[in-house]
Amino acid sequence: MIVVLLGPPGAGKGTQCKRVADRYGLVHLSSGDILRAERAAGSELGEKAQSYMDSGGLVPDDVIIEMMVGAMKQAEDSCLLDGFPRTVVQGEQLDKALEQSGGKVDAVINLGIADEIITNRMTGRRSCTKCGAVYHIENLKPKVEGICDNDGEVLVQREDDKAEVVANRLKIYYEQTAAVVDYYKNAGKVVFDIDAGGDIEDVTVAIVKSIDGLSATEAVSG
Ligand code: AP5
């Protein structure tokens, strides 16, 4: 099964994917996490992506498509996609690649949220560079301030979570990514619109309900 999780930056895509991927035996594939790992490893891909990411812009489509289609093959097309596709071109190219391998996107979950909440979530986010765990200075605090619960690493603020970059990421979302929702709706895909402004647990419950409903429908239709 392939499920795409869409939503503006800071909507909670990563937080929710970590909570639901295992439940359905899906591999959580986050394009942002993969790019950050490439940067940390000092790879050519990481270097290529650096300036786009730090300014809040999008990494070029061809780079992302190659990276994500490769990662999906390794996950044997059983994955929860987080942050990809992020442009209509990426959506089209993903569909083409899946057509060739006999796969398809089974469902799309679209997290909707107000801009004011997004800004608070992103500027308050703190991340562990070692295990990737994500916290928030008010909403999801670690046991010891500034320290990761899992491995004791010092938590950091992502460069692109600084207020000036957040504004650009939001602008880019509306200009280039919001259209991906309509791309899927027009293609007749099942799209679940979920209010992501509530508590983390409430959003998880809504996502689980949607995916469970999808599995039940597929079982009935054969
Ligand atoms: P990426 O890492 O994908 O960034 P993003 O989509 O902007 O998403 P975020 O990781 O910022 O947010 P999220 O929705 O996962 O929220 P989270 O769960 O962490 O991409 C980074 C960059 O890489 C891009 O800008 C681009 O340059 C490049 N890139 C990546 N993919 C690309 C692509 N396909 N094409 C081109 N370029 C690409 O939550 C945020 C905070 O809120 C956390 O602190 C969390 O604890 C808190 N929180 C979450 N949910 C709740 C809740 N319900 N209530 C209260 N707090 C909450």
Side-chain angles (χ1 to χ4, degrees), residues 104-174:
K104 67 175 171 50
V105 168
D106 293 281
V108 176
I109 292 172
N110 179 37
L111 300 183
I113 187 163
D115 288 359
E116 312 79 74
I117 306 179
I118 288 177
T119 306
N120 169 283
R121 284 192 188 173
M122 285 200 285
T123 52
R125 171 167 50 191
R126 298 294 180 269
S127 314
C128 175
T129 49
K130 193 169 176 193
C131 74
V134 170
Y135 302 86
H136 189 277
I137 54 171
E138 290 158 4
N139 309 332
L140 192 62
K141 295 179 182 177
K143 289 181 189 126
V144 178
E145 193 184 330
I147 301 293
C148 179
D149 291 348
N150 301 333
D151 49 32
E153 280 290 303
V154 173
L155 300 175
V156 297
Q157 183 178 37
R158 274 170 42 180
E159 260 322 296
D160 61 348
D161 277 346
K162 303 208 164 132
E164 57 283 11
V165 185
V166 166
N168 193 37
R169 286 168 67 197
L170 261 180
K171 181 171 166 275
I172 300 269
Y173 170 78
Y174 288 115

Side-chain angles (χ1 to χ4, degrees), residues 196-212:
D199 286 351
I200 292 176
E201 178 59 20
D202 292 345
V203 180
T204 304
V205 168
I207 292 174
V208 166
K209 211 170 143 193
S210 303
I211 301 180
D212 284 350

Side-chain angles (χ1 to χ4, degrees), residues 26-220:
L26 300 174
V27 179
H28 172 202
L29 288 181
S30 155
S31 46
D33 285 351
I34 297 174
L35 288 169
R36 280 183 285 280
E38 292 285 342
R39 284 180 62 172
S43 72
E44 197 183 321
L45 170 58
E47 270 174 37
K48 235 187 239 176
Q50 181 160 346
S51 61
Y52 299 101
M53 294 174 80
D54 287 348
S55 66
L58 295 185
V59 176
D61 286 335
D62 53 339
V63 175
I64 292 290
I65 290 157
E66 192 185 337
M67 177 184 94
M68 291 305 285
V69 170
M72 288 175 73
K73 273 196 189 127
Q74 281 187 21
E76 296 177 348
D77 286 351
S78 185
C79 47
L80 194 49
L81 294 177
D82 164 7
F84 172 79
R86 225 183 184 89
T87 63
V88 172
V89 171
Q90 291 180 17
E92 290 167 346
Q93 294 298 321
L94 171 62
D95 282 345
K96 256 191 209 156
L98 288 173
E99 225 173 86
Q100 282 167 11
S101 63
K104 67 175 171 50
V105 168
D106 293 281
V108 176
I109 292 172
N110 179 37
L111 300 183
I113 187 163
D115 288 359
E116 312 79 74
I117 306 179
I118 288 177
T119 306
N120 169 283
R121 284 192 188 173
M122 285 200 285
T123 52
R125 171 167 50 191
R126 298 294 180 269
S127 314
C128 175
T129 49
K130 193 169 176 193
C131 74
V134 170
Y135 302 86
H136 189 277
I137 54 171
E138 290 158 4
N139 309 332
L140 192 62
K141 295 179 182 177
K143 289 181 189 126
V144 178
E145 193 184 330
I147 301 293
C148 179
D149 291 348
N150 301 333
D151 49 32
E153 280 290 303
V154 173
L155 300 175
V156 297
Q157 183 178 37
R158 274 170 42 180
E159 260 322 296
D160 61 348
D161 277 346
K162 303 208 164 132
E164 57 283 11
V165 185
V166 166
N168 193 37
R169 286 168 67 197
L170 261 180
K171 181 171 166 275
I172 300 269
Y173 170 78
Y174 288 115
E175 284 174 358
Q176 300 191 48
T177 307
V180 177
V181 180
D182 284 336
Y183 168 73
Y184 281 122
K185 285 186 177 166
N186 293 337
K189 293 284 174 203
V190 180
V191 178
F192 298 104
D193 287 306
I194 289 178
D195 175 7
D199 286 351
I200 292 176
E201 178 59 20
D202 292 345
V203 180
T204 304
V205 168
I207 292 174
V208 166
K209 211 170 143 193
S210 303
I211 301 180
D212 284 350
L214 177 76
S215 311
T217 313
E218 285 192 343
V220 170

